[in-house]
Amino acid sequence: MGHYIVRRIMIAIPVFFGITLLSFLIMNMAPGNPVDMLINPNIPKEMLELKKERLGLNDPLFVQYVKWLGGFLKGDLGYSFSSFAPVSQLIGERIGPTLLLASSSLLVGILIAVPVGVISAIHQNSKLDYIMTGLSFLGTSIPPFFLGLGLIYMTGIELKWLPTGGMKTLGGTGGISDIILHMILPVTVLGVTIAGKKVRYVRASMLDVLQQEYLRTARAKGLSEFIVTNKHALRNALIPIITVVGAEIPLLLGGSIIIEQVFQWPGIGQLTMEAILSRDYPTLMGLNLVAACIVLSTNLITDLLYAAVDPRISYN
């Protein structure tokens, strides 16, 4: 197992730097630059050119990338072009709320999808199966931003049950209970979206396993249906489920950008939008680094979970 992990890490290193290079090139190919955002009739063109020179924007792309890479290898992600704060500080302040929102939403989505998918598979082609499948399609079809705005209007504006935005109440103490109240709406939206997509995968995986011969043998031995379903069938159905859940994590970070905008959640989603609108290259590169690390580590953890779930899989 240890050799496999080391080998995967060695493979991930060139992939990681390849991602940074492609991200840098694509980002700089987009029209506009940070100085263009400062265009004002009262600013002379000479001042704009001087600003570009100081920021290094007049250097060739390869030179700019090498300078950024050299700083990264020294642990320096540079400074934001818009706020002039260290990029590492900006990301450090925002990554916690995003991870809290994403992990909570993923947990809620799994807790909904797995039981619903299992029950739907057990009662295949029944009314209950049709109802649960229909609800899963509904959860997948509703755009997250539309569902979020609807929940804000109903529970926040009309009924005034829950806060409609932010992570803490302005002027409040910001305790755990306050954070949980602010998390309910965004976690509900993301959790419903995740569950809607994953119910069908769980159902299909369980249907495939329920048709295997060894389950008939387990029933013939007198095992209860609960043990047959939850101990034997569900465990063998987990491998494809782990695959789709692992693939959901990077998508979840991308989807959280929209939700963070809707609910004004102070995470990296908001920071990403601010960096895009201001053409803040150092901040965007720092965010791409975070995304690349999450994707590569998630893929490794997913592969390791295969061996934990199925003893037949070994990486020795």
Side-chain angles (χ1 to χ4, degrees), residues 67-79:
K67 287 182 179 180
W68 176 87
L69 185 60
F72 166 70
L73 294 176
K74 296 177 183 179
D76 182 15
L77 295 180
Y79 290 83

Side-chain angles (χ1 to χ4, degrees), residues 83-271:
S83 65
F84 305 105
V87 173
S88 56
Q89 177 184 336
L90 293 175
I91 296 177
E93 293 172 350
R94 302 293 191 98
I95 189 67
T98 293
L99 291 178
L100 176 62
L101 178 62
S103 59
S104 301
S105 303
L106 184 62
L107 179 61
V108 170
I110 293 174
L111 291 177
I112 295 174
V114 172
V116 172
V118 171
I119 295 173
S120 182
I122 294 174
H123 300 86
Q124 184 184 11
N125 297 328
S126 66
K127 290 183 179 180
L128 183 61
D129 179 25
Y130 294 143
I131 292 173
M132 290 183 172
T133 304
L135 290 176
S136 70
F137 278 110
L138 183 63
T140 307
S141 303
I142 299 178
F145 71 90
F146 181 80
L147 179 59
L149 293 175
L151 290 177
I152 288 175
Y153 177 77
M154 288 188 298
T155 63
I157 298 177
E158 290 293 327
L159 301 176
K160 301 186 185 302
W161 287 350
L162 297 170
T164 59
M167 186 175 176
K168 300 176 183 178
T169 302
L170 294 177
T173 57
I176 296 178
S177 59
D178 187 35
I179 295 176
I180 292 176
L181 283 176
H182 284 78
M183 287 177 59
I184 291 176
L185 290 182
V187 168
T188 299
V189 174
L190 286 175
V192 167
T193 303
I194 294 171
K197 292 185 290 186
K198 297 299 172 282
V199 164
R200 291 174 293 162
Y201 289 105
V202 176
R203 180 182 181 275
S205 181
M206 281 295 296
L207 285 175
D208 182 61
V209 173
L210 289 173
Q211 297 174 1
Q212 302 299 319
E213 294 292 338
Y214 67 87
L215 292 184
R216 297 180 183 178
T217 304
R219 294 188 182 96
K221 290 181 179 180
L223 296 179
S224 65
E225 191 64 26
F226 180 84
I227 295 177
V228 171
T229 301
N230 294 280
K231 184 177 180 180
H232 296 280
L234 180 58
R235 183 168 183 176
N236 286 283
L238 282 179
I239 291 183
I241 297 173
I242 290 174
T243 302
V244 296
V245 170
E248 181 67 30
I249 294 177
L251 298 176
L252 181 61
L253 292 176
S256 65
I257 295 177
I258 299 175
I259 299 302
E260 288 183 8
Q261 290 294 311
V262 172
F263 291 98
Q264 294 300 301
W265 189 262
I268 59 174
Q270 277 195 340
L271 182 62

